[in-house]
Amino acid sequence: MQLGMIGLGRMGANIVRRVVRAGHTCVGYEPAAAKIDRLRAELGDSFAGSTDLAEFVGLLETPRVVWVMIPAGATGAVIDDVAALLEPGDIVIDGGNSRYHEDLKRAAVLGRRGIHYVDIGTSGGVFGLERGFCLMIGGETDPVRHLDPLLKSIAPGVEAAERTPGRTGEPSTAEQGYLHCGPVGSGHFVKMVHNGIEYGAMAAYAEGLNILHKANLGNQGPGEFSAEETPLDHPEFYRYDLDIPEITEVWRRGSVVASWLLDLTAAELYADPNLDSFDGRVSDSGEGRWTLDAAINIAVPAPVLAAALFGRFSSRGEAVYADKMLSAMRSAFGGHHELP
C-alpha cells in the first residue's frame, strides 16, 4: 500500500520509516529539499518525494491517501491546497493536534467533493520510530478500514504491553495500539483528552518531586527565615537531603506510580540532577484548554486538569501581575513590605 505524507519533520518522517519498514511505499511532500533527499538516500526506491504539491499528488496511486503531519496552525490551509488537487474517493488524514471542531467543518467541505476525511490523534513523539505510535482515529468506517494495513504498521503492536487479564482470542486493534474511536472528530477528541490527562500527570509528578526536593528545609538556621513568612513548625521533621534522581529510579521498579513518563523523568534527572538546563517555562499547545472547554460544556468536574493548565500559565509569568497586586494589597492594609 502507498502513503503520501505532507510534512517530514520528526514525527512525519518516522511514520514514513515505519510504513516502509513494513513493506509499504511512501511519497513525501516537504518544502525543504534536504529532508526529502535524506529520506530517499535512507529508504531507496520505497520512497519518493517532491517540494511541489502538484507533483506530489501526481506521484500518488489512486485512491490517494494523504496524511498531513504539520503544526495545527497551518493544517487547514494545507488541507485546502492539497484537496484542490484530489479526486473523489481519495482520503485526507489530519494526524496533528487539530481541534476536533475543525474536523467536522473540514469533513463537510471535503465530503461535498467526494473526498474522505479521517482525523488521527497521534501519540508517541520522538520515540515513535522504535516504539510505534498510538493512534486514535475518527472517520467513516469504509475509509478507515481501507487504511488498516498502514495503521497497523504505524502502531506499536500487541507486544508493546502485557495483555490485560481476561482478554482472550484475536487481539483487538486497540491491543495493537490503534483504535477507530467513532465518527469524524472522535479521534482528535480522544487525543485532546489524552493530552489533558498528560498535563495532570506531569503536574502531579512535578509537585510531588518538588516536595521531596524541599524536604531539607528544616536544616536552615533560625536566621534564614523571615518574620514576614509563616515559620516552619517542627523543623526536625524536614531534615531529609533526598536524592531525587535515585528516588525516581527506584519508583520505576514495582511502584504503583511507575510509567513511561516516569522513565523519561528519571532519564532527565540522571543527565541533569539539578535541572540547570531548564528555566521552568512550560508551554501549552491548546489541547489542555480544549479539554477543559469540553468539561465545562458537559458539566464534568476536572479540577486536576484545570490546576495543571493554570500551573503552565503561571510558569510563563502570567501570574506576575496578580502576585504584585497581592503584594500591594498586603502593603496597603497591613504595612507589610516585600522581602528583598
Side-chain angles (χ1 to χ4, degrees):
M1 194 169 176
Q2 187 190 60
L3 173 67
M5 177 63 71
I6 294 180
L8 299 175
R10 288 173 297 181
M11 292 184 70
N14 282 341
I15 289 173
V16 167
R17 291 183 176 102
R18 284 189 66 86
V19 166
V20 169
R21 285 181 182 180
H24 304 290
T25 61
C26 284
V27 178
Y29 167 78
E30 170 65 51
K35 293 182 179 180
I36 295 173
D37 293 340
R38 281 196 296 269
L39 279 176
R40 186 181 290 119
E42 176 186 341
L43 303 176
D45 293 339
S46 295
F47 176 79
S50 177
T51 58
D52 180 80
L53 195 59
E55 182 182 23
F56 160 78
V57 171
L59 292 171
L60 294 172
E61 302 165 358
T62 58
R64 302 173 184 88
V65 176
V66 177
W67 184 308
V68 181
M69 199 67 179
I70 60 176
T75 298
V78 171
I79 288 178
D80 289 343
D81 289 343
V82 73
L85 302 169
L86 298 180
E87 299 174 343
D90 292 344
I91 301 171
V92 172
I93 300 167
D94 178 2
N97 282 327
S98 297
R99 193 173 191 181
Y100 74 98
H101 295 184
E102 299 303 313
D103 295 324
L104 301 179
K105 298 174 185 176
R106 291 170 189 157
V109 172
L110 296 182
R112 289 194 285 270
R113 297 186 47 212
I115 299 171
H116 303 291
Y117 179 85
V118 176
D119 54 286
I120 301 184
T122 308
S123 182
V126 296
F127 295 91
L129 176 59
E130 298 304 327
R131 291 173 58 98
F133 295 90
C134 175
L135 305 176
M136 295 145 271
I137 306 153
E140 304 164 276
T141 299
D142 288 344
V144 172
R145 186 182 293 119
H146 176 78
L147 295 171
D148 191 78
L150 293 172
L151 302 175
K152 188 172 184 178
S153 70
I154 297 166
V158 69
E159 65 279 359
E162 292 185 13
R163 202 163 195 197
T164 300
R167 283 187 176 264
T168 59
E170 186 70 20
S172 68
T173 64
E175 292 181 88
Q176 297 174 59
Y178 65 108
L179 177 66
H180 184 195
C181 300
V184 167
S186 63
H188 278 151
F189 188 90
V190 173
K191 178 57 160 52
M192 173 188 78
V193 176
H194 164 285
N195 283 22
I197 292 171
E198 183 181 284
Y199 283 26
M202 291 172 69
Y205 278 126
E207 291 178 10
L209 293 172
N210 196 26
I211 293 170
L212 297 177
H213 175 68
K214 297 277 287 185
N216 63 352
L217 193 63
N219 290 332
Q220 292 186 12
E224 298 179 69
F225 292 96
S226 166
E228 281 290 304
E229 297 176 354
T230 302
L232 176 65
D233 288 338
H234 301 289
E236 68 274 18
F237 293 160
Y238 303 99
R239 288 179 175 153
Y240 302 115
D241 290 307
L242 300 173
D243 190 328
I244 307 303
E246 289 300 284
I247 289 170
T248 58
E249 198 63 43
V250 75
W251 282 356
R252 294 180 59 217
R253 294 164 173 82
S255 166
V256 172
V257 299
S259 69
W260 184 38
L261 181 57
L262 183 61
D263 295 344
L264 298 174
T265 303
E268 290 293 337
L269 284 166
Y270 181 76
D272 186 358
N274 296 315
L275 304 179
D276 293 328
S277 59
F278 300 94
D279 292 329
R281 179 183 174 87
V282 187
S283 299
D284 73 289
S285 54
E287 297 88 349
R289 304 184 191 205
W290 305 337
T291 300
L292 288 179
D293 182 60
I296 291 167
N297 287 335
I298 58 179
V300 172
V304 172
L305 305 191
L309 177 64
F310 294 150
R312 292 191 177 203
F313 295 166
S314 183
S315 79
R316 305 199 297 265
E318 301 298 344
V320 170
Y321 183 81
D323 292 340
K324 289 182 177 181
M325 188 62 67
L326 290 171
S327 186
M329 286 186 277
R330 290 188 80 243
S331 176
F333 67 66
H336 302 285
H337 299 296
E338 291 183 345
L339 297 174

